[in-house]
Amino acid sequence: MIMKVNRHLTTHLVSQIVGKNFESETLRIGDLNGDGAPDLLFIQSVFATREITCLTAVTIHGRVLWQKGTPSRKNGRIYSDLPAQICDWDGDGRNEVLYVRQATYAELHPTDDYVRERAMRYEGHVAMIILDARTGKQKGELTLPAPADDCFLFADLTGQGRRRDFIVKDRYWNLWGVSHQGKTLWHWKGSTGHFPAIGDVDGDGRDEVFVGFALIDHDGKVLFQKNARNVHQDAAYMVRLKNGAWRLFFGNGGFHCLSVDGRERWHHPLAEAQHVVVGRFRFDSELQIAVINRGQMRGRARAPGALHLFDLNGREIWRREQGPGSWAACVIPIDWFGAGAPQCLLVYGRGAGKPVSIFDGGGNLVDALPPKGCRADFVHALSADVWGDSREEAILFGSRGAWIHANARPLALPTLYNETLYPGM
């Protein structure tokens, strides 16, 4: 199929932050200085580990607010997700920065090569460090189990009515539920995959955790668990439908849709379903599911990656091949047009020299974002409304810089075209 390309690509470069020694392939977004506007947190680590070496808080225009640790260009390349988040942890109306400080890997696991994923013996202890987001000064810390130094996610495990607890994992083998006070509530051992998903699927006011091939109740009880078959989960997503039913989606080689009882409703045997996101990308059905199939990188069966869009029944609506070199492609939803329009799909990591691309729900390319001064295949992306126009911006970032692109088209809000001194019209 020949793709329609908008020849009048209309974007605005809001900001670029380049040539700094704190830039990184891991970024978090949130109000750090307390002025109500979003800021950026760059996170550096020793490559092929999750050992965080430097946190740098900046405004969206690059003004440094504070820095903890020593920045280094060599620590901008990131091997995996890093355990750091921004949230109002203590409920005082101001954000904190939380990150995991590793223990010492005193004796590496025999399976580790140049990647440091787990240890046979640890020294010291792992701690969740809590920083004041305005200053970077430490406010507290919580002790964690020694291997628990991979990513974490806030959840309501204790029925507080707010996600004041968290779940934290090691690289691929263990997951812990931890209370707001730092008490380990439960431990689950299994194939965790890259990142869990959470949601209150039973309506009891406490979150369940979809991790690897298992659904875990708030108290650690396993509600169902599938055979991992010596592979890990690449992507997880939970969504509640209009009728109240939940669907669990995951990528593991193929792409799968489950009910909360673990029953598989449908699947597609894709080569490697790496990213899964659910959203309203078009108006002809309730929700749609976007999936990146990474294709095959090596061997005779080598094939490029592709972006697929499915409906809730598993019917493929369309697919867009991403071409050679797109094995590392990723997809995120972005509210690019605002004003109630369907979301779009932003695809990055498409290969050397290929721009970050935004597709609409019809599979049309509506914008391409060349990150000036940086190879597009080394750029990651997030979407958030940091410009304040009620649409989301595309935030591209990597070890060589960060760029914020906005949609420059006029935002079609009818009320703004009919201003009057007499309200109520």
Side-chain angles (χ1 to χ4, degrees):
M1 175 180 289
I2 298 176
M3 205 163 23
K4 294 179 181 179
V5 179
N6 183 353
R7 297 300 180 188
H8 303 284
L9 304 180
T10 310
T11 64
H12 171 60
L13 182 62
V14 172
S15 173
Q16 63 177 344
I17 305 168
V18 296
K20 309 296 183 182
N21 59 2
F22 57 73
E23 292 153 348
S24 172
E25 293 178 354
T26 297
L27 183 70
R28 304 289 187 245
I29 303 170
D31 180 12
L32 298 173
N33 60 8
D35 67 356
D39 302 300
L40 309 178
L41 182 71
F42 290 91
I43 306 157
Q44 292 186 331
S45 76
V46 177
F47 185 72
T49 78
R50 278 98 52 218
E51 180 186 344
I52 292 175
T53 57
C54 186
L55 302 170
T56 304
V58 303
T59 67
I60 64 168
H61 297 291
R63 180 172 65 88
V64 175
L65 301 171
W66 53 263
Q67 193 168 72
K68 183 176 179 62
T70 303
S72 171
R73 292 184 185 277
K74 71 177 183 179
N75 291 336
R77 291 295 310 279
I78 305 299
Y79 172 75
S80 64
D81 195 15
L82 295 179
Q85 299 287 354
I86 302 171
C87 80
D88 179 7
W89 174 249
D90 55 17
D92 67 351
R94 295 186 294 250
N95 278 334
E96 282 73 42
V97 170
L98 284 77
Y99 75 98
V100 174
R101 183 183 64 205
Q102 279 190 333
T104 300
Y105 282 47
E107 183 181 348
L108 293 180
H109 194 276
T111 60
D112 282 1
D113 189 3
Y114 76 97
V115 176
R116 194 175 76 193
E117 294 189 329
R118 56 178 167 170
M120 298 292 290
R121 181 171 58 87
Y122 297 88
E123 293 180 354
H125 68 278
V126 172
M128 179 74 77
I129 306 300
I130 304 164
L131 305 179
D132 187 324
R134 294 170 298 170
T135 65
K137 293 182 179 179
Q138 185 168 327
K139 297 178 68 173
E141 66 178 75
L142 305 171
T143 299
L144 299 178
D149 60 13
D150 199 82
C151 57
F152 66 92
L153 186 66
F154 299 115
D156 186 356
L157 303 176
T158 55
Q160 301 298 307
R162 182 170 175 264
R163 287 175 171 166
R164 295 171 58 86
D165 312 308
F166 60 92
I167 53 176
V168 61
K169 60 186 281 291
D170 63 5
R171 186 66 180 139
Y172 289 126
W173 306 277
N174 297 274
L175 183 80
W176 295 266
V178 183
S179 75
H180 187 265
Q181 294 74 30
K183 178 183 177 182
T184 299
L185 302 172
W186 48 264
H187 168 226
W188 176 79
K189 187 177 180 61
S191 177
T192 64
H194 287 302
F195 200 82
I198 61 170
D200 180 13
V201 302
D202 57 12
D204 67 351
R206 291 167 291 191
D207 286 322
E208 282 68 55
V209 183
F210 182 41
V211 59
F213 309 96
L215 183 64
I216 303 172
D217 210 346
H218 66 275
D219 58 1
K221 177 183 177 182
V222 177
L223 300 176
F224 72 76
Q225 185 165 339
K226 303 289 187 181
N227 187 344
R229 302 185 187 280
N230 298 316
V231 291
H232 65 246
Q233 181 203 83
D234 284 316
Y237 205 103
M238 302 171 66
V239 66
R240 188 175 185 229
L241 307 182
K242 286 182 179 179
N243 64 7
W246 284 79
R247 294 290 180 265
L248 314 180
F249 300 97
F250 71 92
N252 159 241
F255 172 52
H256 308 260
C257 173
L258 307 180
S259 300
V260 294
D261 59 2
R263 180 169 54 93
E264 184 168 84
R265 301 185 68 88
W266 49 265
H267 82 278
H268 286 276
L270 305 180
E272 186 174 354
Q274 182 71 13
H275 279 227
V276 175
V277 294
V278 180
R280 191 80 187 277
F281 305 112
R282 47 197 293 145
F283 284 152
D284 58 358
S285 58
E286 179 182 348
L287 291 169
Q288 300 84 38
I289 309 101
V291 180
I292 283 287
N293 176 18
R294 298 183 77 176
Q296 292 289 352
M297 186 179 182
R298 303 175 181 88
R300 289 187 176 182
R302 181 177 300 190
L307 170 65
H308 301 253
L309 192 70
F310 299 96
D311 67 16
L312 286 171
N313 296 316
R315 179 181 68 89
E316 184 180 81
I317 301 172
W318 50 258
R319 75 176 70 180
R320 296 293 179 265
E321 186 176 299
Q322 299 302 301
S326 57
W327 186 78
C330 307
V331 62
I332 60 171
I334 183 169
D335 187 7
W336 189 239
F337 289 105
Q343 295 171 286
C344 291
L345 294 159
L346 187 152
V347 183
Y348 62 98
R350 301 173 61 241
K354 296 179 182 177
V356 173
S357 297
I358 298 177
F359 296 87
D360 66 17
N364 302 304
L365 178 65
V366 296
D367 274 312
L369 311 173
K372 297 177 181 178
C374 185
R375 285 176 56 186
D377 49 323
F378 284 115
V379 170
H380 301 262
L382 292 170
S383 59
D385 181 14
V386 299
W387 187 233
D389 67 350
S390 82
R391 294 177 288 195
E392 289 183 329
E393 283 68 59
I395 300 151
L396 316 181
F397 58 95
S399 59
R400 305 179 187 182
W403 300 261
I404 300 175
H405 290 265
N407 186 348
R409 300 170 181 85
L411 183 59
L413 294 176
T415 55
L416 298 184
Y417 293 111
N418 294 289
E419 299 286 9
T420 175
L421 290 175
Y422 302 98
M425 63 173 288

